[in-house]
Amino acid sequence: MEKNHYKTLGVPRDADEKKIRSAYRNLAKKFHHDTGEGSSAERCHAVQGASEVLSDPEKRLQYARRLGIRQ
C-alpha cells in the first residue's frame, strides 16, 4: 500500500511549500536520533521521504496522479 505523505507530515493536501517545510523541520527535530526522547530512525526516514516528494513540484504531481488526487 502507498504511504500517505500528507498524513506523515500532518499537512493537508493543499499545503503550500512553506507549510510542508515547517512540518518537516518540526518532525525532523522530534524524531532525529540525536534528540534522544521520541527518536525513531524509521519515523525520521519516513518524514524525510515525505518531505522530499511533497517539496518537489514534479514528484508531488506524480505522487498525486498515483493516488488519483486532482491538483
Side-chain angles (χ1 to χ4, degrees):
M1 183 171 179
E2 182 88 36
K3 292 181 181 181
N4 187 329
H5 295 313
Y6 296 101
K7 188 174 180 180
T8 299
L9 292 180
V11 296
R13 289 182 174 163
D14 62 348
D16 62 8
E17 188 176 332
K18 187 176 179 179
K19 285 183 183 179
I20 292 169
R21 190 176 333 118
S22 177
Y24 166 71
R25 287 180 178 166
N26 289 332
L27 291 171
K29 287 178 190 175
K30 181 178 180 180
F31 295 115
H32 194 271
H33 65 277
D34 287 341
T35 61
E37 250 184 90
S39 65
S40 167
E42 183 178 316
R43 183 79 167 117
C44 189
H45 288 291
V47 167
Q48 185 176 11
S51 175
E52 188 177 306
V53 170
L54 298 180
S55 296
D56 183 305
E58 185 63 33
K59 289 180 183 178
R60 187 173 182 176
L61 185 59
Q62 290 174 359
Y63 174 69
R65 287 180 182 154
R66 281 196 315 268
L67 293 181
I69 301 170
R70 289 186 168 188
Q71 292 287 317

Short mmCIF file of all heavy atoms in Angstrom, two decimals:
data_model
loop_
_atom_site.label_atom_id
_atom_site.label_comp_id
_atom_site.label_asym_id
_atom_site.label_seq_id
_atom_site.Cartn_x
_atom_site.Cartn_y
_atom_site.Cartn_z
N MET A 1 0.83 -1.19 0.00
CA MET A 1 0.00 0.00 0.00
C MET A 1 0.87 1.25 0.00
O MET A 1 1.90 1.31 0.66
CB MET A 1 -0.91 -0.02 1.23
CG MET A 1 -1.86 1.13 1.27
SD MET A 1 -3.04 0.88 2.62
CE MET A 1 -3.95 2.36 2.42
N GLU A 2 0.45 2.25 -0.73
CA GLU A 2 1.16 3.52 -0.86
C GLU A 2 1.13 4.28 0.47
O GLU A 2 0.10 4.35 1.13
CB GLU A 2 0.49 4.36 -1.95
CG GLU A 2 1.16 5.67 -2.22
CD GLU A 2 2.26 5.57 -3.23
OE1 GLU A 2 2.12 4.80 -4.18
OE2 GLU A 2 3.27 6.28 -3.07
N LYS A 3 2.27 4.84 0.86
CA LYS A 3 2.31 5.65 2.07
C LYS A 3 1.64 6.99 1.80
O LYS A 3 1.74 7.53 0.70
CB LYS A 3 3.76 5.89 2.49
CG LYS A 3 4.48 4.65 2.95
CD LYS A 3 5.88 4.98 3.37
CE LYS A 3 6.59 3.72 3.80
NZ LYS A 3 7.96 3.98 4.23
N ASN A 4 0.97 7.51 2.81
CA ASN A 4 0.34 8.81 2.67
C ASN A 4 1.30 9.87 3.20
O ASN A 4 1.41 10.06 4.42
CB ASN A 4 -0.99 8.84 3.43
CG ASN A 4 -1.76 10.11 3.19
OD1 ASN A 4 -1.18 11.17 2.97
ND2 ASN A 4 -3.07 10.01 3.22
N HIS A 5 1.98 10.54 2.29
CA HIS A 5 2.98 11.53 2.69
C HIS A 5 2.34 12.73 3.39
O HIS A 5 2.96 13.33 4.26
CB HIS A 5 3.77 12.00 1.47
CG HIS A 5 4.60 10.92 0.85
ND1 HIS A 5 5.41 10.09 1.59
CD2 HIS A 5 4.75 10.53 -0.43
CE1 HIS A 5 6.04 9.23 0.78
NE2 HIS A 5 5.63 9.48 -0.46
N TYR A 6 1.13 13.07 3.02
CA TYR A 6 0.45 14.18 3.68
C TYR A 6 0.19 13.85 5.15
O TYR A 6 0.40 14.68 6.03
CB TYR A 6 -0.88 14.51 2.97
CG TYR A 6 -0.67 14.98 1.56
CD1 TYR A 6 -0.86 14.13 0.48
CD2 TYR A 6 -0.26 16.29 1.29
CE1 TYR A 6 -0.67 14.56 -0.82
CE2 TYR A 6 -0.07 16.74 0.00
CZ TYR A 6 -0.27 15.88 -1.06
OH TYR A 6 -0.07 16.30 -2.33
N LYS A 7 -0.24 12.63 5.40
CA LYS A 7 -0.51 12.19 6.76
C LYS A 7 0.80 12.10 7.55
O LYS A 7 0.85 12.46 8.73
CB LYS A 7 -1.21 10.84 6.74
CG LYS A 7 -1.70 10.38 8.08
CD LYS A 7 -2.51 9.10 7.97
CE LYS A 7 -3.02 8.64 9.31
NZ LYS A 7 -3.80 7.41 9.22
N THR A 8 1.85 11.62 6.91
CA THR A 8 3.16 11.50 7.57
C THR A 8 3.62 12.85 8.09
O THR A 8 4.13 12.95 9.22
CB THR A 8 4.21 10.94 6.59
OG1 THR A 8 3.79 9.64 6.17
CG2 THR A 8 5.58 10.85 7.24
N LEU A 9 3.43 13.91 7.29
CA LEU A 9 3.86 15.25 7.70
C LEU A 9 2.79 15.99 8.49
O LEU A 9 3.06 17.04 9.07
CB LEU A 9 4.27 16.08 6.48
CG LEU A 9 5.52 15.65 5.75
CD1 LEU A 9 5.80 16.57 4.57
CD2 LEU A 9 6.73 15.61 6.68
N GLY A 10 1.57 15.47 8.46
CA GLY A 10 0.48 16.12 9.18
C GLY A 10 0.02 17.41 8.52
O GLY A 10 -0.32 18.38 9.20
N VAL A 11 0.05 17.44 7.18
CA VAL A 11 -0.38 18.63 6.44
C VAL A 11 -1.54 18.27 5.51
O VAL A 11 -1.68 17.12 5.10
CB VAL A 11 0.78 19.23 5.60
CG1 VAL A 11 1.90 19.72 6.50
CG2 VAL A 11 1.33 18.24 4.60
N PRO A 12 -2.37 19.26 5.18
CA PRO A 12 -3.47 18.99 4.23
C PRO A 12 -2.93 18.85 2.81
O PRO A 12 -1.80 19.26 2.52
CB PRO A 12 -4.36 20.23 4.36
CG PRO A 12 -3.46 21.31 4.84
CD PRO A 12 -2.41 20.62 5.69
N ARG A 13 -3.73 18.29 1.94
CA ARG A 13 -3.30 18.07 0.55
C ARG A 13 -3.03 19.38 -0.19
O ARG A 13 -2.28 19.39 -1.15
CB ARG A 13 -4.34 17.26 -0.20
CG ARG A 13 -4.37 15.83 0.26
CD ARG A 13 -5.36 15.02 -0.51
NE ARG A 13 -5.25 13.63 -0.13
CZ ARG A 13 -6.15 12.72 -0.36
NH1 ARG A 13 -7.26 13.05 -1.01
NH2 ARG A 13 -5.98 11.49 0.03
N ASP A 14 -3.63 20.46 0.25
CA ASP A 14 -3.41 21.74 -0.42
C ASP A 14 -2.33 22.59 0.26
O ASP A 14 -2.21 23.79 0.01
CB ASP A 14 -4.72 22.53 -0.52
CG ASP A 14 -5.30 22.88 0.85
OD1 ASP A 14 -4.83 22.34 1.87
OD2 ASP A 14 -6.25 23.69 0.88
N ALA A 15 -1.53 21.96 1.11
CA ALA A 15 -0.47 22.68 1.83
C ALA A 15 0.53 23.27 0.86
O ALA A 15 0.92 22.64 -0.12
CB ALA A 15 0.24 21.75 2.80
N ASP A 16 0.95 24.50 1.16
CA ASP A 16 1.96 25.13 0.32
C ASP A 16 3.36 24.71 0.78
O ASP A 16 3.53 24.01 1.77
CB ASP A 16 1.81 26.65 0.33
CG ASP A 16 1.99 27.28 1.71
OD1 ASP A 16 2.40 26.57 2.65
OD2 ASP A 16 1.73 28.49 1.84
N GLU A 17 4.34 25.15 0.03
CA GLU A 17 5.73 24.76 0.30
C GLU A 17 6.18 25.17 1.70
O GLU A 17 6.90 24.44 2.38
CB GLU A 17 6.66 25.37 -0.75
CG GLU A 17 8.08 24.87 -0.67
CD GLU A 17 8.95 25.43 -1.78
OE1 GLU A 17 8.44 25.74 -2.86
OE2 GLU A 17 10.16 25.55 -1.54
N LYS A 18 5.72 26.34 2.15
CA LYS A 18 6.11 26.84 3.46
C LYS A 18 5.58 25.94 4.59
O LYS A 18 6.31 25.62 5.53
CB LYS A 18 5.57 28.26 3.64
CG LYS A 18 6.03 28.95 4.89
CD LYS A 18 5.54 30.38 4.93
CE LYS A 18 5.99 31.06 6.20
NZ LYS A 18 5.54 32.46 6.26
N LYS A 19 4.33 25.49 4.47
CA LYS A 19 3.75 24.60 5.49
C LYS A 19 4.45 23.24 5.48
O LYS A 19 4.68 22.65 6.54
CB LYS A 19 2.26 24.41 5.23
CG LYS A 19 1.42 25.58 5.62
CD LYS A 19 -0.05 25.28 5.41
CE LYS A 19 -0.89 26.50 5.74
NZ LYS A 19 -2.32 26.25 5.53
N ILE A 20 4.76 22.75 4.30
CA ILE A 20 5.45 21.46 4.18
C ILE A 20 6.83 21.54 4.82
O ILE A 20 7.23 20.68 5.60
CB ILE A 20 5.54 21.01 2.71
CG1 ILE A 20 4.13 20.68 2.20
CG2 ILE A 20 6.48 19.83 2.55
CD1 ILE A 20 4.05 20.49 0.71
N ARG A 21 7.56 22.61 4.52
CA ARG A 21 8.89 22.79 5.08
C ARG A 21 8.84 22.92 6.60
O ARG A 21 9.66 22.31 7.32
CB ARG A 21 9.54 24.04 4.47
CG ARG A 21 11.00 24.19 4.81
CD ARG A 21 11.69 25.38 4.12
NE ARG A 21 11.09 25.76 2.88
CZ ARG A 21 10.53 26.97 2.64
NH1 ARG A 21 10.52 27.89 3.56
NH2 ARG A 21 9.99 27.24 1.46
N SER A 22 7.87 23.67 7.11
CA SER A 22 7.73 23.85 8.55
C SER A 22 7.41 22.53 9.25
O SER A 22 8.00 22.20 10.28
CB SER A 22 6.64 24.88 8.83
OG SER A 22 6.43 25.02 10.20
N ALA A 23 6.47 21.78 8.68
CA ALA A 23 6.10 20.48 9.26
C ALA A 23 7.31 19.54 9.25
O ALA A 23 7.56 18.84 10.24
CB ALA A 23 4.95 19.87 8.48
N TYR A 24 8.04 19.53 8.15
CA TYR A 24 9.23 18.67 8.04
C TYR A 24 10.25 19.03 9.13
O TYR A 24 10.75 18.15 9.83
CB TYR A 24 9.87 18.79 6.66
CG TYR A 24 11.25 18.20 6.62
CD1 TYR A 24 11.44 16.83 6.70
CD2 TYR A 24 12.38 19.01 6.56
CE1 TYR A 24 12.71 16.27 6.71
CE2 TYR A 24 13.64 18.47 6.55
CZ TYR A 24 13.81 17.10 6.64
OH TYR A 24 15.07 16.57 6.65
N ARG A 25 10.54 20.30 9.28
CA ARG A 25 11.55 20.72 10.26
C ARG A 25 11.15 20.33 11.68
O ARG A 25 11.98 19.86 12.46
CB ARG A 25 11.79 22.22 10.16
CG ARG A 25 12.56 22.59 8.92
CD ARG A 25 12.79 24.07 8.84
NE ARG A 25 13.58 24.40 7.66
CZ ARG A 25 13.72 25.61 7.20
NH1 ARG A 25 13.14 26.63 7.80
NH2 ARG A 25 14.44 25.83 6.12
N ASN A 26 9.88 20.55 12.01
CA ASN A 26 9.42 20.21 13.36
C ASN A 26 9.50 18.71 13.62
O ASN A 26 9.96 18.28 14.68
CB ASN A 26 7.98 20.69 13.56
CG ASN A 26 7.87 22.19 13.66
OD1 ASN A 26 8.81 22.86 14.09
ND2 ASN A 26 6.74 22.75 13.27
N LEU A 27 9.06 17.92 12.65
CA LEU A 27 9.09 16.47 12.83
C LEU A 27 10.51 15.92 12.77
O LEU A 27 10.83 14.97 13.50
CB LEU A 27 8.21 15.79 11.78
CG LEU A 27 6.71 16.04 11.95
CD1 LEU A 27 5.94 15.51 10.75
CD2 LEU A 27 6.21 15.41 13.24
N ALA A 28 11.36 16.50 11.95
CA ALA A 28 12.75 16.04 11.87
C ALA A 28 13.45 16.25 13.21
O ALA A 28 14.20 15.39 13.66
CB ALA A 28 13.48 16.78 10.75
N LYS A 29 13.19 17.38 13.84
CA LYS A 29 13.77 17.64 15.16
C LYS A 29 13.24 16.65 16.19
O LYS A 29 13.98 16.16 17.04
CB LYS A 29 13.43 19.06 15.62
CG LYS A 29 14.19 20.14 14.91
CD LYS A 29 13.73 21.49 15.40
CE LYS A 29 14.29 22.60 14.54
NZ LYS A 29 13.77 23.92 14.94
N LYS A 30 11.96 16.38 16.10
CA LYS A 30 11.32 15.49 17.07
C LYS A 30 11.83 14.05 16.98
O LYS A 30 12.04 13.39 17.99
CB LYS A 30 9.81 15.51 16.86
CG LYS A 30 9.04 14.66 17.83
CD LYS A 30 7.55 14.78 17.58
CE LYS A 30 6.77 13.93 18.56
NZ LYS A 30 5.32 14.06 18.33
N PHE A 31 12.01 13.55 15.76
CA PHE A 31 12.36 12.15 15.58
C PHE A 31 13.83 11.87 15.27
O PHE A 31 14.21 10.72 15.12
CB PHE A 31 11.48 11.54 14.48
CG PHE A 31 10.03 11.49 14.85
CD1 PHE A 31 9.10 12.23 14.16
CD2 PHE A 31 9.60 10.70 15.90
CE1 PHE A 31 7.76 12.18 14.50
CE2 PHE A 31 8.27 10.65 16.26
CZ PHE A 31 7.34 11.40 15.56
N HIS A 32 14.65 12.90 15.17
CA HIS A 32 16.06 12.69 14.84
C HIS A 32 16.75 11.90 15.94
O HIS A 32 16.49 12.09 17.13
CB HIS A 32 16.76 14.03 14.63
CG HIS A 32 18.10 13.88 13.99
ND1 HIS A 32 19.24 13.69 14.72
CD2 HIS A 32 18.46 13.87 12.69
CE1 HIS A 32 20.27 13.58 13.90
NE2 HIS A 32 19.82 13.68 12.65
N HIS A 33 17.65 11.02 15.55
CA HIS A 33 18.30 10.13 16.51
C HIS A 33 19.16 10.86 17.55
O HIS A 33 19.41 10.35 18.62
CB HIS A 33 19.15 9.07 15.78
CG HIS A 33 20.31 9.64 15.04
ND1 HIS A 33 20.18 10.16 13.76
CD2 HIS A 33 21.60 9.78 15.38
CE1 HIS A 33 21.35 10.59 13.35
NE2 HIS A 33 22.23 10.37 14.31
N ASP A 34 19.62 12.05 17.26
CA ASP A 34 20.44 12.80 18.21
C ASP A 34 19.62 13.52 19.27
O ASP A 34 20.18 14.02 20.24
CB ASP A 34 21.29 13.85 17.48
CG ASP A 34 22.43 13.22 16.70
OD1 ASP A 34 22.78 12.07 16.99
OD2 ASP A 34 22.95 13.88 15.79
N THR A 35 18.31 13.58 19.10
CA THR A 35 17.49 14.33 20.05
C THR A 35 17.14 13.53 21.29
O THR A 35 16.70 14.10 22.27
CB THR A 35 16.18 14.82 19.40
OG1 THR A 35 15.43 13.69 18.96
CG2 THR A 35 16.45 15.76 18.26
N GLY A 36 17.32 12.22 21.24
CA GLY A 36 17.05 11.41 22.43
C GLY A 36 15.62 10.96 22.52
O GLY A 36 15.20 10.06 21.82
N GLU A 37 14.83 11.62 23.36
CA GLU A 37 13.44 11.22 23.60
C GLU A 37 12.61 11.27 22.32
O GLU A 37 12.63 12.25 21.58
CB GLU A 37 12.81 12.14 24.64
CG GLU A 37 12.55 11.42 25.94
CD GLU A 37 11.84 12.31 26.92
OE1 GLU A 37 10.60 12.30 26.90
OE2 GLU A 37 12.54 12.98 27.68
N GLY A 38 11.87 10.21 22.08
CA GLY A 38 10.99 10.16 20.92
C GLY A 38 11.70 9.90 19.60
O GLY A 38 11.08 9.92 18.56
N SER A 39 13.00 9.69 19.66
CA SER A 39 13.74 9.49 18.43
C SER A 39 13.38 8.14 17.81
O SER A 39 13.12 7.17 18.49
CB SER A 39 15.25 9.56 18.68
OG SER A 39 15.67 8.51 19.51
N SER A 40 13.34 8.13 16.49
CA SER A 40 13.00 6.92 15.76
C SER A 40 13.58 7.03 14.37
O SER A 40 13.16 7.90 13.58
CB SER A 40 11.48 6.75 15.69
OG SER A 40 11.13 5.77 14.75
N ALA A 41 14.54 6.19 14.05
CA ALA A 41 15.17 6.24 12.73
C ALA A 41 14.16 5.97 11.63
O ALA A 41 14.15 6.65 10.60
CB ALA A 41 16.32 5.24 12.66
N GLU A 42 13.27 5.01 11.87
CA GLU A 42 12.26 4.67 10.86
C GLU A 42 11.33 5.85 10.60
O GLU A 42 11.05 6.20 9.46
CB GLU A 42 11.45 3.47 11.33
CG GLU A 42 10.44 2.98 10.32
CD GLU A 42 9.68 1.77 10.82
OE1 GLU A 42 10.32 0.85 11.36
OE2 GLU A 42 8.45 1.76 10.66
N ARG A 43 10.87 6.47 11.67
CA ARG A 43 9.96 7.62 11.53
C ARG A 43 10.68 8.80 10.90
O ARG A 43 10.11 9.52 10.07
CB ARG A 43 9.41 7.99 12.91
CG ARG A 43 8.43 9.09 12.91
CD ARG A 43 7.05 8.61 12.49
NE ARG A 43 6.08 9.64 12.82
CZ ARG A 43 5.34 10.28 11.92
NH1 ARG A 43 5.42 9.96 10.66
NH2 ARG A 43 4.51 11.22 12.28
N CYS A 44 11.93 9.01 11.26
CA CYS A 44 12.73 10.10 10.70
C CYS A 44 12.89 9.92 9.19
O CYS A 44 12.75 10.87 8.42
CB CYS A 44 14.09 10.17 11.38
SG CYS A 44 15.04 11.63 10.96
N HIS A 45 13.14 8.70 8.75
CA HIS A 45 13.28 8.42 7.32
C HIS A 45 11.96 8.61 6.59
O HIS A 45 11.93 9.10 5.45
CB HIS A 45 13.81 7.00 7.09
CG HIS A 45 15.24 6.84 7.45
ND1 HIS A 45 16.27 7.43 6.74
CD2 HIS A 45 15.83 6.18 8.48
CE1 HIS A 45 17.42 7.13 7.30
NE2 HIS A 45 17.19 6.37 8.36
N ALA A 46 10.86 8.25 7.22
CA ALA A 46 9.54 8.43 6.61
C ALA A 46 9.24 9.92 6.42
O ALA A 46 8.74 10.34 5.38
CB ALA A 46 8.46 7.77 7.46
N VAL A 47 9.56 10.72 7.43
CA VAL A 47 9.34 12.16 7.36
C VAL A 47 10.21 12.77 6.26
O VAL A 47 9.76 13.60 5.47
CB VAL A 47 9.63 12.81 8.73
CG1 VAL A 47 9.72 14.32 8.63
CG2 VAL A 47 8.59 12.40 9.75
N GLN A 48 11.46 12.34 6.19
CA GLN A 48 12.37 12.85 5.17
C GLN A 48 11.88 12.49 3.76
O GLN A 48 11.89 13.32 2.86
CB GLN A 48 13.78 12.29 5.39
CG GLN A 48 14.80 12.86 4.45
CD GLN A 48 16.20 12.34 4.77
OE1 GLN A 48 16.38 11.42 5.56
NE2 GLN A 48 17.18 12.94 4.14
N GLY A 49 11.43 11.26 3.59
CA GLY A 49 10.93 10.83 2.28
C GLY A 49 9.68 11.58 1.87
O GLY A 49 9.53 11.98 0.71
N ALA A 50 8.78 11.80 2.82
CA ALA A 50 7.56 12.55 2.53
C ALA A 50 7.89 13.98 2.12
O ALA A 50 7.32 14.51 1.16
CB ALA A 50 6.64 12.54 3.75
N SER A 51 8.80 14.58 2.83
CA SER A 51 9.20 15.95 2.51
C SER A 51 9.85 16.02 1.13
O SER A 51 9.59 16.95 0.36
CB SER A 51 10.18 16.47 3.56
OG SER A 51 10.66 17.74 3.20
N GLU A 52 10.67 15.04 0.82
CA GLU A 52 11.35 15.00 -0.48
C GLU A 52 10.34 14.96 -1.62
O GLU A 52 10.50 15.65 -2.63
CB GLU A 52 12.26 13.79 -0.53
CG GLU A 52 13.16 13.74 -1.74
CD GLU A 52 14.09 12.56 -1.70
OE1 GLU A 52 14.81 12.41 -0.69
OE2 GLU A 52 14.08 11.79 -2.66
N VAL A 53 9.30 14.18 -1.47
CA VAL A 53 8.27 14.05 -2.51
C VAL A 53 7.41 15.31 -2.59
O VAL A 53 7.18 15.86 -3.67
CB VAL A 53 7.39 12.81 -2.28
CG1 VAL A 53 6.19 12.81 -3.21
CG2 VAL A 53 8.20 11.54 -2.47
N LEU A 54 6.93 15.78 -1.45
CA LEU A 54 5.98 16.89 -1.46
C LEU A 54 6.63 18.25 -1.71
O LEU A 54 5.95 19.18 -2.12
CB LEU A 54 5.19 16.92 -0.15
CG LEU A 54 4.33 15.69 0.13
CD1 LEU A 54 3.59 15.85 1.45
CD2 LEU A 54 3.35 15.42 -1.01
N SER A 55 7.93 18.37 -1.49
CA SER A 55 8.62 19.64 -1.72
C SER A 55 8.99 19.85 -3.17
O SER A 55 9.23 20.98 -3.60
CB SER A 55 9.89 19.72 -0.87
OG SER A 55 9.54 19.71 0.49
N ASP A 56 9.07 18.79 -3.93
CA ASP A 56 9.43 18.87 -5.35
C ASP A 56 8.14 18.87 -6.18
O ASP A 56 7.40 17.89 -6.15
CB ASP A 56 10.29 17.68 -5.72
CG ASP A 56 10.77 17.71 -7.15
OD1 ASP A 56 9.93 17.83 -8.07
OD2 ASP A 56 11.99 17.60 -7.36
N PRO A 57 7.86 19.96 -6.91
CA PRO A 57 6.59 20.04 -7.66
C PRO A 57 6.36 18.88 -8.63
O PRO A 57 5.24 18.38 -8.73
CB PRO A 57 6.72 21.36 -8.43
CG PRO A 57 7.70 22.16 -7.65
CD PRO A 57 8.65 21.17 -7.05
N GLU A 58 7.39 18.42 -9.30
CA GLU A 58 7.23 17.31 -10.25
C GLU A 58 6.93 16.00 -9.53
O GLU A 58 6.04 15.25 -9.92
CB GLU A 58 8.49 17.17 -11.12
CG GLU A 58 8.37 16.13 -12.21
CD GLU A 58 7.29 16.45 -13.24
OE1 GLU A 58 7.06 17.63 -13.52
OE2 GLU A 58 6.66 15.50 -13.74
N LYS A 59 7.68 15.72 -8.47
CA LYS A 59 7.44 14.49 -7.69
C LYS A 59 6.07 14.52 -7.04
O LYS A 59 5.39 13.51 -6.96
CB LYS A 59 8.52 14.31 -6.63
CG LYS A 59 9.88 13.94 -7.18
CD LYS A 59 10.88 13.78 -6.06
CE LYS A 59 12.26 13.47 -6.57
NZ LYS A 59 13.24 13.35 -5.47
N ARG A 60 5.67 15.71 -6.57
CA ARG A 60 4.37 15.84 -5.93
C ARG A 60 3.23 15.58 -6.93
O ARG A 60 2.25 14.92 -6.60
CB ARG A 60 4.22 17.24 -5.34
CG ARG A 60 2.97 17.42 -4.51
CD ARG A 60 2.97 18.76 -3.82
NE ARG A 60 1.80 18.92 -2.99
CZ ARG A 60 1.59 19.96 -2.21
NH1 ARG A 60 2.47 20.93 -2.13
NH2 ARG A 60 0.49 20.04 -1.49
N LEU A 61 3.39 16.07 -8.13
CA LEU A 61 2.39 15.84 -9.17
C LEU A 61 2.29 14.36 -9.53
O LEU A 61 1.19 13.81 -9.64
CB LEU A 61 2.72 16.67 -10.42
CG LEU A 61 1.71 16.62 -11.55
CD1 LEU A 61 0.35 17.12 -11.10
CD2 LEU A 61 2.20 17.46 -12.72
N GLN A 62 3.44 13.69 -9.67
CA GLN A 62 3.44 12.26 -9.95
C GLN A 62 2.80 11.48 -8.80
O GLN A 62 2.04 10.54 -9.03
CB GLN A 62 4.87 11.77 -10.18
CG GLN A 62 5.47 12.26 -11.47
CD GLN A 62 6.95 11.86 -11.59
OE1 GLN A 62 7.52 11.24 -10.71
NE2 GLN A 62 7.56 12.25 -12.70
N TYR A 63 3.10 11.87 -7.58
CA TYR A 63 2.52 11.22 -6.40
C TYR A 63 1.00 11.40 -6.40
O TYR A 63 0.26 10.44 -6.15
CB TYR A 63 3.15 11.81 -5.14
CG TYR A 63 2.53 11.34 -3.85
CD1 TYR A 63 2.69 10.03 -3.43
CD2 TYR A 63 1.79 12.20 -3.05
CE1 TYR A 63 2.13 9.59 -2.24
CE2 TYR A 63 1.24 11.77 -1.86
CZ TYR A 63 1.41 10.46 -1.46
OH TYR A 63 0.86 10.03 -0.29
N ALA A 64 0.55 12.60 -6.68
CA ALA A 64 -0.89 12.88 -6.71
C ALA A 64 -1.59 12.05 -7.79
O ALA A 64 -2.68 11.53 -7.58
CB ALA A 64 -1.13 14.36 -6.95
N ARG A 65 -0.95 11.90 -8.92
CA ARG A 65 -1.53 11.09 -10.00
C ARG A 65 -1.65 9.62 -9.58
O ARG A 65 -2.64 8.97 -9.89
CB ARG A 65 -0.69 11.20 -11.26
CG ARG A 65 -0.82 12.51 -11.97
CD ARG A 65 0.02 12.58 -13.20
NE ARG A 65 -0.09 13.87 -13.85
CZ ARG A 65 0.84 14.39 -14.60
NH1 ARG A 65 1.96 13.77 -14.84
NH2 ARG A 65 0.62 15.59 -15.15
N ARG A 66 -0.64 9.10 -8.90
CA ARG A 66 -0.69 7.72 -8.44
C ARG A 66 -1.83 7.49 -7.45
O ARG A 66 -2.45 6.45 -7.41
CB ARG A 66 0.63 7.31 -7.76
CG ARG A 66 1.73 6.98 -8.74
CD ARG A 66 2.87 6.21 -8.08
NE ARG A 66 3.32 6.69 -6.81
CZ ARG A 66 4.31 7.55 -6.61
NH1 ARG A 66 4.96 8.06 -7.64
NH2 ARG A 66 4.66 7.93 -5.41
N LEU A 67 -2.11 8.53 -6.64
CA LEU A 67 -3.17 8.42 -5.65
C LEU A 67 -4.53 8.80 -6.22
O LEU A 67 -5.55 8.61 -5.57
CB LEU A 67 -2.89 9.32 -4.45
CG LEU A 67 -1.70 8.95 -3.57
CD1 LEU A 67 -1.59 9.91 -2.41
CD2 LEU A 67 -1.83 7.53 -3.05
N GLY A 68 -4.53 9.37 -7.42
CA GLY A 68 -5.78 9.81 -8.02
C GLY A 68 -6.30 11.11 -7.45
O GLY A 68 -7.49 11.36 -7.44
N ILE A 69 -5.39 11.94 -6.98
CA ILE A 69 -5.75 13.23 -6.40
C ILE A 69 -5.70 14.29 -7.50
O ILE A 69 -4.73 14.38 -8.24
CB ILE A 69 -4.76 13.64 -5.27
CG1 ILE A 69 -4.77 12.60 -4.18
CG2 ILE A 69 -5.10 15.01 -4.74
CD1 ILE A 69 -3.67 12.78 -3.15
N ARG A 70 -6.73 15.09 -7.56
CA ARG A 70 -6.75 16.19 -8.53
C ARG A 70 -5.93 17.34 -8.00
O ARG A 70 -6.05 17.72 -6.85
CB ARG A 70 -8.18 16.67 -8.78
CG ARG A 70 -8.98 15.69 -9.55
CD ARG A 70 -10.30 16.29 -9.87
NE ARG A 70 -10.96 15.44 -10.86
CZ ARG A 70 -12.06 15.76 -11.46
NH1 ARG A 70 -12.65 16.92 -11.19
NH2 ARG A 70 -12.61 14.96 -12.34
N GLN A 71 -5.10 17.88 -8.85
CA GLN A 71 -4.26 19.03 -8.47
C GLN A 71 -4.75 20.28 -9.14
O GLN A 71 -5.17 20.33 -10.21
CB GLN A 71 -2.81 18.77 -8.85
CG GLN A 71 -2.17 17.68 -8.05
CD GLN A 71 -1.87 18.08 -6.63
OE1 GLN A 71 -1.38 19.16 -6.37
NE2 GLN A 71 -2.19 17.23 -5.69
#
